[in-house]
Amino acid sequence: MVSGLLDVAALDLECGADLRFSLEYVREDGTRDREPLAACTAERFEEVAPVRSFHWAKGAAHFPGLWWSSTTSAHVGFESWLERDHVMLMDFDPGITGIASQPFWLHWQDGDGRLRRHAPDFFARRADGGGVVVDVRPDDRIPAEDAEVFRVTALACGQAGWEFRRAGTIDPVLRANVRWLSRYRHPRCRREPVAAALLEAFTEGRPLLAGAAQAGDPVAVLPVAYHLLWQRELSCDLSVLLGGASMAWREAAG
């Protein structure tokens, strides 16, 4: 669902495969630990505190902020609009159960003997228990030095048994649709008996506005329908702009 992912298979992960890594991270209680990578792969990095603070400055070129995650019922920090949109997509993904920003410092020594470190943008936990390390960078803004850092990070993730993603440009239609649905992500948007009526109305696929009208006044009902779409209890084609004529249907149970 996310475009701009790094093709890890195309990277030369053999070069530097003997690198030794350590992770520095901050537990929820504020204690800071640093351990060899192999010793902390079972840590719940989706629950750690950021290893560095987010800075807000008037006139700055970046746009940090906090995203309230419906997945975790907590805030996740971001440092750009692109990062925010990727947090949004992870929040929308039912295969993701946890998200943390700036989860750890990855430490290593490069081939010239220099001590290096890198803080990935996010750590996400998949529903199957696997880990995902995410670095967000626009596709056209990856200088050679950063590409090397991503290669080394992918190598470390391979040693840890985690997936690595370099997340870049997002399809604008998908982004617009998920942004719209995200306005209705909070559980307060689910109202009964409207939700049950909508699930019944969309047992068979039908246009969104027609199904909403069957369940009641569309003005009152559509916010609940959008929440059900966010929750994936209803589905629609998000590759085209969402509107009243969009076909929607109830997701099969199980």
Side-chain angles (χ1 to χ4, degrees):
M1 185 168 76
V2 180
S3 59
L5 299 187
L6 181 70
D7 184 3
V8 177
L11 295 176
D12 179 10
L13 297 183
E14 293 301 319
C15 179
D18 58 345
L19 288 175
R20 298 292 178 264
F21 300 100
S22 64
L23 298 186
E24 179 184 351
Y25 57 99
V26 180
R27 298 183 184 275
E28 284 188 290
D29 62 6
T31 58
R32 185 176 290 264
D33 286 340
R34 179 170 174 176
E35 302 179 79
L37 174 62
C40 52
T41 56
E43 289 290 337
R44 298 186 62 82
F45 287 109
E46 70 274 26
E47 298 176 356
V48 297
V51 291
R52 61 184 182 85
S53 59
F54 297 89
H55 297 287
W56 286 260
K58 186 177 181 179
H62 63 296
F63 301 93
L66 296 171
W67 174 268
W68 185 83
S69 167
S70 61
T71 300
T72 64
S73 297
H75 286 98
V76 180
F78 58 83
E79 295 184 297
S80 69
W81 292 149
L82 184 59
E83 285 191 17
R84 179 203 60 185
D85 289 343
H86 278 289
V87 172
M88 174 184 73
L89 290 177
M90 287 189 282
D91 198 19
F92 183 57
D93 186 346
I96 297 296
T97 61
I99 314 165
S101 55
Q102 309 290 336
F104 51 73
W105 285 109
L106 174 68
H107 292 269
W108 74 95
Q109 189 174 35
D110 68 16
D112 296 325
R114 296 179 300 169
L115 297 178
R116 305 289 303 279
R117 71 175 187 173
H118 171 60
D121 293 316
F122 302 103
F123 183 93
R125 183 68 64 186
R126 294 199 307 255
D128 63 7
V132 184
V133 173
V134 181
D135 269 311
V136 177
R137 188 67 58 85
D139 299 344
D140 59 350
R141 290 177 54 192
I142 307 177
E145 183 177 355
D146 290 346
E148 174 63 12
V149 168
F150 295 153
R151 186 191 71 82
V152 171
T153 304
L155 178 61
C157 289
Q159 291 185 12
W162 298 329
E163 177 187 350
F164 175 69
R165 299 179 183 175
R166 197 281 302 167
T169 305
I170 301 170
D171 175 78
V173 173
L174 172 65
R175 181 181 62 221
N177 285 334
V178 179
R179 276 186 186 174
W180 178 264
L181 295 180
S182 74
R183 302 177 183 185
Y184 306 93
R185 67 188 183 275
H186 198 281
R188 64 172 171 261
C189 293
R190 186 189 186 103
R191 295 187 292 106
E192 296 293 357
V194 175
L198 282 166
L199 292 173
E200 180 65 26
F202 287 102
T203 300
E204 302 291 337
R206 64 178 58 204
L208 183 60
L209 188 57
Q214 180 175 318
D217 179 357
V219 173
V221 168
L222 277 171
V224 185
Y226 295 141
H227 177 74
L228 295 176
L229 285 165
W230 174 268
Q231 290 294 112
R232 306 298 188 95
E233 294 180 64
L234 296 179
S235 290
C236 64
D237 182 1
L238 295 178
S239 68
V240 294
L241 279 175
L242 187 63
S246 298
M247 293 298 294
W249 57 91
R250 183 177 181 175
E251 276 294 291

